[in-house]
Amino acid sequence: MKKLLIFMLLLQTAVLLSGCYDRKELEEQAYVISIGVDMTESEDVFRFTFEIANPEVGSAVSSPSTQEPVQEVVSVLGTDFLSATSAANVSVAKEISLDQVRVVIVSEKLARSKKFIHLMQTAPSIIDLKLNSQLVISKEKAEEFIRTNKPKLESRPHKYFQYMLDRAKETGVIPEAPLVRFFQITEGDADLFLAPFATTKKDPKEEYGAEDNYKAGEVNIKGGNSTQFIGSAVFKEGQMIDILTGEETRFSLMLDTTLPQQDIIANYTDPLRPGFDLAARVQADKVKVKIDYKPTGKTNIDVYVSMHMNIFAVPSTQNYMINSKNRNILHASLQKQLQEEGEKFIKKTQEKYKLEPFYWSLHIRSKFLTIKDYEKADWANKIYPNANVRLHVKVRSLEFGKLLRESDLRKVRD
Amino acid sequence: MFPWQKKKKTEAVAKQKNTKISRSLKENVAYLEEQYLYGTNFDFNSKELRGSTGRYHLFYYSTIIDTKQLNEHIVTPLLETKRDIPVPRIVTLSSLSSVKNMDEVEKGLSAGCVIIFKEGMSEAFEAKIDDFKHRAVEKPENEKTVKGPKESFTESLPVNISIFRKQIPSKDLIVENISIDSRPTMPVSLVYARDLVNEEILENIKKRIKKITASNIRNIEILEQFLEERPASLFPTMLYTERPDNAGNYIMEGYVAIIMENSSSCLIAPITIWSFFHSPEDRYLRWAFGNFSRLVRAIAYFITLFVSATYVAITNYHSQLIPIDLLLAIASSRERVPLPIVFEILLMEVAFELIREAGIRIPSPLGPTIGIVGALILGQAAVEANIVSPIVVIIVALSGLSSFAAANYSINHTLRISRFLFIFAASMYGLLSLLGAILLWVAYVVSINSFGVSYFSPATPSNRSPRDTFFRMILKKEKWRPGFLNPKDWDKQ
């Protein structure tokens, strides 16, 4: 009995003492906000860049203002995330923690190479790195992107990424791309994966491309931070193949049933005075996708999009609000514009990519009894590129902003 | 007492056991004066009266009887009577009764009676004109309510019973006296409604009271610990309340109230854990208001039990759960703090317990000092000296403040001590061990019984009840009395 008691006591001590093995005080860790990954000349080695937040800056109101910088950027060579983390600890005093990584930035060059998928395979093996951190593709080197990105108003880097990604997602010009979605889509091997595209290098387009017909870097912005998040990188089978503009990204988000629908502000052509544009907020309801699968012939895919539009500005001063005839014209025209642009984009995916970025393969899976049947039918190579996709856009409601009627220019200019 | 030690009783005690009252007044007087150490015993009076019809002798304690009544109703009539008629016809007190032996005499004297001996009679008379001093009925100090009666029990059994009778004016309200075999023998009163109470539970309580053999049980606070099944447990199994209205409510549900002389509170038995979280005000307030205050209290209990432990667990083991802004804020404020988080929390919790303990013991003229010392030194100065981080002060203040929201003082201790257990548990494996500790804790609570009633009923085992467990119903819709008590009449309406 006594022996048993002593044994149990010892057992308990073992439990007590071993309990502390992964305990780590908060202030003894360095929190990485973003990781950048670049190619190097050698085959399996990448350059990892860690952006580490300085907790002392901007966190406490009353704390004495410190002279330390906001962030520390460390860049090391490594074969995977884990080895790079420990390599970076050579110069960083605290234990580097990947718990709070918000974005993983990969350079376009690396994303387009075959090595990218090998790199990504090492990500889930680290327990620290959360799979809901966002994947971002940068036009230049990721290290350069991190070093150049100097937000003017958000001194703390995590705040910048948080606001930037949230806001851009609301406007729909970049997709939501957590790491876990990359793995889902890549392993599903039936759809295209979209990741936000960003750059700090300005390369402004000469012509004005409405508010969203740009890729990152092309927007002509003066002042402010030089970073731009717009457009998306298209991944096919774990390798980047193309870049979509902001507008195309917006359409692909609208047609995707798995992503939350946000309201988007966009410009449309004024039907009565084609030289002018209309500004409208578009709120799309959840898309309905109906697939009529035909094993031999062309598969029909019916996509139903219904939207609510809120017209904010009518620069042409056409009377759409009171005149119901004009209103009907506007309604029909908006519907047609959306329909045409959507169809154009769908056609592009069918012809150029031979695959869709809308995650529609989810809707055809239910048509097959076994996974084998589904794989045999081959959505990616056989069904989708030949399918007959019919887009049905319906504008359910038209609302006008605060103005009850436009100013009558003839009266103003008399 | 060890078994090999022989019980020694004083000679006086042995002698008194079966002494009959003698016909000779002289013998009786000599006996009682010897027994009561007359002359040394300051307030013991032995008074001889020589009336025109015979010799009388009075014995009484001058400090516990009403002298005015003694003079008017006993001394004067005895001296003035002209004819030799029996004492009960001379003394005009309703409480007069005859006693046959010295044992009864002794009981009567301690209870505030005047004992009247008459020459040549082998019986005596006791007249109860007691006047024990006690506090007046005052406002409840520890169980305050805004809405509701403001009377509280006081340290006098007759007064307390009188308040009960006022609350429940019914012939079914029984006040049953049981004596504890202690030294001196003390009566315990059980108050219950005869038409409701479960006999089994009542018998259980009586049996336990009769079993007590310890000496020196003079109030229910001590009695409580002798009656409890698990005296070392963290959980009280009897409700201690100073509010007669609360006790009355319980009696009308079929519970039993236990009162004693010298206690300004009563005990309610059996009890479930929910009763400790209910305040009588919950029922006095309107449905929505009462339930709102219950919700606030429920939140307070969870905060006081778990907030410190969760903080320790999350910051030490699960930092990825903290939003990054908060994480950086905690990290930056902790950069200059030398202690690990567990010790930081424990330090502040102990400091808070010190303030609380000192606050109870401190003489009231010094009271305000506690506030200044507590707030300034432990709050601000500790942070400025980099001994603790500000967020820990917030967390400890929150958990400390919440523990005061407890509706009952007994459960307050339970919550406070359990909190430390959870902090220790959380420091071992984080949330994993914290959840393990909570599981064990709850398993233990569920296993407790109070006089045969499950501590968690009617939640588990589920039973018919007024459904006044987490939230209360609209009073009109309360159909049943608590079924776990198995009262004689279940139907409330």
Side-chain angles (χ1 to χ4, degrees), chain B residues 300-318:
Chain B
Y301 294 130
F302 280 107
I303 290 178
T304 192
L305 278 177
F306 301 127
V307 77
S308 310
T310 314
Y311 177 76
V312 169
I314 288 184
T315 48
N316 274 336
Y317 294 96
H318 317 282

Side-chain angles (χ1 to χ4, degrees), chain B residues 246-299:
Chain B
N246 199 14
N249 290 344
Y250 277 111
I251 289 172
M252 288 317 284
E253 301 263 88
Y255 293 82
V256 180
I258 303 168
I259 48 177
M260 256 178 108
E261 190 81 72
N262 300 328
S263 273
S264 64
S265 293
C266 77
L267 290 174
I268 310 285
I271 213 72
T272 60
I273 194 168
W274 312 108
S275 300
F276 293 102
F277 300 124
H278 297 170
S279 156
E281 200 172 9
D282 297 346
R283 296 180 80 78
Y284 299 148
L285 286 174
R286 299 183 58 240
W287 176 78
F289 309 161
N291 280 339
F292 178 73
S293 89
R294 265 199 197 170
L295 179 71
V296 171
R297 252 183 286 133
I299 295 170

